[in-house]
């Protein structure tokens, strides 16, 4: 059996390792710091990728026609 307690700073795992002849139990306790932030980082990475690959939905700016434009500055 495994029990997990999660906080923003750490995950604590308590594992029932075994029973002895006299009826007492042996537990293994593991503390893993900052595990939640790994998951938060993956979510942010996924959202950034989706936003970066999202289609614009409008015509490309490079496709705008520039007819009638001149390279000379206008007289002031």
């Amino acid at each position: 059996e495994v029990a997990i307690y999660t906080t923003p700073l750490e995950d604590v795992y308590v594992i029932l390792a075994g029973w002895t002849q006299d009826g007492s139990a042996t537990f293994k306790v593991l503390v893993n710091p900052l595990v939640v932030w790994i998951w938060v980082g993956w979510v942010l990475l996924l959202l950034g990728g989706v936003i970066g690959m999202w289609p614009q939905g409008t015509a490309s700016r490079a496709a705008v026609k520039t007819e009638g434009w001149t390279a000379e500055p206008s007289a002031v």
Side-chain angles (χ1 to χ4, degrees):
E1 297 291 323
V2 177
I4 302 172
Y5 179 69
T6 302
T7 67
L9 296 178
E10 64 188 8
D11 282 1
V12 178
Y13 297 90
V14 180
I15 304 164
L16 176 61
W19 297 94
T20 61
Q21 292 292 335
D22 63 355
S24 62
T26 305
F27 293 96
K28 183 176 183 179
V29 178
L30 302 170
V31 178
N32 295 329
L34 305 174
V35 173
V36 170
W37 296 104
I38 295 172
W39 292 104
V40 171
W42 275 108
V43 169
L44 290 175
L45 184 68
L46 180 66
L47 287 174
V50 168
I51 291 170
M53 292 186 290
W54 197 265
Q56 292 290 327
T58 59
S60 171
R61 290 186 182 127
V64 175
K65 294 183 180 180
T66 59
E67 294 178 19
W69 288 63
T70 61
E72 300 174 14
S74 60
V76 181

